[in-house]
Amino acid sequence: MVWRTLWARLTKMTAGKLDYSNKIILAPMVRVGTLPTRLLALEMGADIVYTEELIDLKLIKCVRSVNEALGTIDYVDPSDGTVSFRTCELEKSRLVLQMGTSDAERALAVGKKIQYDISGLDINMGCPKEFSIKGGMGVALLAQPEKACHILKTLVDNLDIPVTCKIRILPNLEDTIELVKKLAGTGISAIGIHARTRDERPQHSPHPDVIREIVKHLDIPVICNGGSRDIEKYTDILKFRDLCGASSIMVARAAQMNVSIFRKEGLLEMDDLICRYLKLSVDYDNPPHNTKYGIQSIMREQQETPRGKLFLKSQTMQQMCDIWNMGDYCRQKELELHTKGTFGRRKVIPGQVPDSEILETVAKKAKLENDNENDELDKDIIEENIAFLRCNYDIKNDQFPKTVLYVHANKNELLQPVYDTEGKDKLFRSICKFDGKRYRSTFWSKNKKQAEQAAALVCLKNIGLVTEEELIKNGSILR
């Protein structure tokens, strides 16, 4: 750990700090700014990319993990093995992490933890969503300028990377100018300004004239934001930047709909863009639900077409890739990553990932619900690594594994299955007792119901009601 920190410090000193002047930037967007989108934005021509807003309370308990299979650095939530933040060397020199915070000490703890995996840290002071405001984050900080300045100054004085913030304008120009002067006085390297007030939304016209006035009073780069409603091609990005008189510009919704907006040569066709995005999502093991959201943003009204409706029914990465003739690539890549030992949900076991020393867990210890059978009997359990994936089942048809097994028992006049479930560290695993035998998945689930479904699925496979081929195809088994 010591040598890595020293080497990182030396690298920072020799490589220079991120320059925010004259840049075209992918703006921070929740659910959008994950690794595949960021890499694709850089490929398309963006100079800097921001992560989605990541909350300090979430990051502070994460464990940093080197993912050799993917070639990434992962910040893993120790409670369930999910990746809260993933990055790689390809983007490091142009990556800014945006943090949601309301506490200087907590923000600094996160900053010190992640600073050598990013090139800049931005504090969100512009999000108007209720979640942020209730937590004292986002635009709530604009009503507490002293607190906002304290957070920024604490970070600037103690981190080795540039610190910035992103705000919204205030209803009054003079008040806005006074605010940005205070913020700039903390030593931040740049300031992002959304050209709307706290209560204005995308349907409202932005106020580039306000940013133009603000620029006159600052000697740090101003990054304008809020012009997506008028941005349809690359040159429109430059027009809005010039209209604001800003040094740089960050693009949000226009990039969400088509990240090739950063491409000087022109926009890519929808299918080309989706295939590139899918490949990056597969290559970097992006969560299927996040990938689906990204594709929905690209497809927009095309979701109403027959292919779009087929896509909306898809839940797994393989199902999505099949629609764009990338199913074989997806299957091969997922198997390759699994063989390499990618740490994911399938490999999470209680106690494998250590708890954070900074944040105490708020989870209550789960109760053991099994019947305390002798451990020697475990060797008689029929056990397989089969995952219950909720996305494979339609609630309307109610063909869930437990239901199928229940119907089978009734039809054959057998005793109904009984489930014994144990819970440890907010993870669950169940044993299905049926017809004199016991079945269990090695996969630890995130809740009791899913654990029972997984155990039932192991049973169904072993009694011949579902085939291994079916389970491989739907992703429940990786072969």
Side-chain angles (χ1 to χ4, degrees):
M1 176 64 75
V2 174
W3 70 263
R4 183 179 71 81
T5 301
L6 291 175
W7 175 254
R9 284 180 179 273
L10 179 61
T11 301
K12 278 292 175 185
M13 288 189 289
T14 56
K17 293 189 175 181
L18 186 63
D19 181 9
Y20 292 86
S21 300
N22 303 311
K23 297 297 189 294
I24 296 177
I25 302 167
L26 176 71
M29 290 178 283
V30 175
R31 299 176 66 188
V32 177
T34 50
L35 183 58
T37 300
R38 299 196 305 264
L39 291 177
L40 192 52
L42 290 173
E43 180 186 334
M44 294 296 105
D47 298 308
I48 297 173
V49 290
Y50 278 54
T51 69
E52 60 180 328
E53 179 191 23
L54 298 169
I55 307 302
D56 57 0
L57 287 169
K58 182 78 169 177
L59 288 171
I60 207 168
K61 68 175 181 178
C62 286
V63 176
R64 182 184 188 273
S65 173
V66 177
N67 190 326
E68 294 182 357
L70 293 177
T72 61
I73 300 297
D74 298 346
Y75 283 81
V76 183
D77 185 334
S79 67
D80 61 9
T82 57
V83 177
S84 297
F85 169 52
R86 171 169 286 161
T87 183
C88 67
E89 194 64 31
L90 288 173
E91 66 170 355
K92 180 179 177 181
S93 64
R94 295 177 285 175
L95 176 64
V96 177
L97 184 142
Q98 187 183 69
M99 187 196 308
T101 187
S102 61
D103 181 84
E105 183 178 348
R106 198 163 59 232
L108 180 59
V110 174
K112 287 184 174 181
K113 185 175 187 177
I114 64 174
Q115 64 175 330
Y116 301 118
D117 292 320
I118 59 179
S119 288
L121 179 64
D122 183 79
I123 301 303
N124 185 353
M125 299 183 180
C127 181
K129 298 295 179 63
E130 185 178 4
F131 167 78
S132 287
I133 295 174
K134 281 188 174 180
M137 303 178 292
V139 293
L141 288 172
L142 299 185
Q144 304 178 71
E146 297 306 319
K147 183 177 184 179
C149 288
H150 176 59
I151 292 173
L152 294 175
K153 186 93 169 64
T154 299
L155 295 174
V156 169
D157 290 348
N158 293 282
L159 297 182
D160 297 329
I161 56 174
V163 176
T164 61
C165 66
K166 183 171 182 286
I167 70 169
R168 283 183 170 239
I169 62 174
L170 302 177
N172 181 274
L173 174 59
E174 287 71 25
D175 291 341
T176 306
I177 293 174
E178 181 181 353
L179 173 65
V180 296
K181 283 182 177 180
K182 288 181 178 179
L183 297 174
T186 63
I188 57 176
S189 299
I191 185 167
I193 305 177
H194 186 110
R196 292 184 179 86
T197 65
R198 164 178 173 162
D199 297 325
E200 291 178 327
R201 296 295 179 265
Q203 64 268 27
H204 297 107
S205 297
H207 306 281
D209 54 312
V210 175
I211 296 182
R212 192 163 57 247
E213 287 300 315
I214 293 172
V215 170
K216 298 175 183 178
H217 297 270
L218 298 179
D219 56 6
I220 59 173
V222 172
I223 308 167
C224 64
N225 176 227
S228 282
R229 59 181 289 170
D230 298 315
I231 294 177
E232 297 181 355
K233 54 186 181 299
Y234 177 81
T235 54
D236 293 333
I237 298 176
L238 306 182
K239 286 180 182 178
F240 187 74
R241 181 199 62 187
D242 295 342
L243 191 62
C244 293
S247 172
S248 299
I249 179 172
M250 55 173 55
V251 184
R253 286 180 299 111
Q256 178 180 355
M257 292 184 286
N258 193 329
V259 74
S260 66
I261 196 76
F262 295 113
R263 192 169 178 266
K264 294 179 181 179
E265 299 81 4
L267 298 174
L268 294 177
E269 293 294 328
M270 183 188 73
D271 286 345
D272 187 1
L273 190 66
I274 290 176
C275 286
R276 293 183 189 219
Y277 176 69
L278 271 173
K279 184 177 185 302
L280 287 168
S281 295
V282 171
D283 290 348
Y284 288 98
D285 197 24
N286 198 51
H289 68 274
N290 182 259
T291 298
K292 184 174 183 178
Y293 181 80
I295 295 176
Q296 284 181 282
S297 299
I298 298 171
M299 293 190 76
R300 290 177 287 169
E301 65 276 2
Q302 290 297 311
Q303 295 176 76
E304 298 302 317
T305 64
R307 182 174 63 166
K309 291 178 179 178
L310 178 63
F311 163 72
L312 290 176
K313 292 180 180 179
S314 67
Q315 296 292 331
T316 66
M317 195 70 77
Q318 287 183 9
Q319 289 169 347
M320 287 183 274
C321 285
D322 281 336
I323 297 173
W324 279 275
N325 299 315
M326 295 178 62
D328 288 341
Y329 177 79
C330 179
R331 280 183 279 274
Q332 292 170 6
K333 193 67 178 181
E334 286 189 341
L335 179 58
E336 174 191 330
L337 294 177
H338 182 67
T339 303
K340 285 182 177 179
T342 302
F343 183 81
R345 280 290 300 120
R346 288 177 186 272
K347 297 185 177 182
V348 174
I349 60 175
Q352 181 171 347
V353 184
D355 291 334
S356 167
E357 296 178 358
I358 303 174
L359 187 70
E360 293 184 3
T361 178
V362 296
K364 295 181 179 179
K365 291 294 182 180
K367 295 180 180 179
L368 292 178
E369 299 182 33
N370 60 10
D371 58 2
N372 296 317
E373 291 180 293
N374 194 298
D375 289 341
E376 285 296 315
L377 295 179
D378 280 358
K379 62 184 180 182
D380 297 324
I381 297 175
I382 298 171
E383 192 173 58
E384 296 191 49
N385 189 239
I386 298 177
F388 168 74
L389 305 178
R390 171 66 180 79
C391 57
N392 286 329
Y393 302 91
D394 186 353
I395 195 170
K396 294 180 180 178
N397 297 329
D398 194 19
Q399 292 298 304
F400 289 88
K402 287 181 66 176
T403 303
V404 173
L405 189 56
Y406 176 86
V407 172
H408 172 75
N410 278 346
K411 183 178 180 180
N412 292 276
E413 299 182 349
L414 299 171
L415 292 176
Q416 286 298 324
V418 175
Y419 299 90
D420 291 329
T421 304
E422 62 175 331
K424 297 179 181 178
D425 300 336
K426 295 167 61 176
L427 296 171
F428 297 85
R429 191 169 60 170
S430 185
I431 294 174
C432 172
K433 298 179 180 180
F434 180 69
D435 199 22
K437 295 182 179 180
R438 299 191 299 160
Y439 305 89
R440 180 171 67 188
S441 170
T442 60
F443 178 82
W444 286 80
S445 300
K446 296 178 70 172
N447 61 56
K448 181 173 180 270
K449 289 182 179 180
Q450 290 187 6
E452 292 176 352
Q453 295 286 6
L457 201 51
V458 175
C459 177
L460 291 177
K461 174 182 177 294
N462 280 273
I463 64 176
L465 293 185
V466 63
T467 67
E468 182 171 296
E469 289 71 23
E470 290 178 90
L471 296 174
I472 292 174
K473 186 175 181 180
N474 68 25
S476 297
I477 293 178
L478 286 182
R479 286 284 190 274

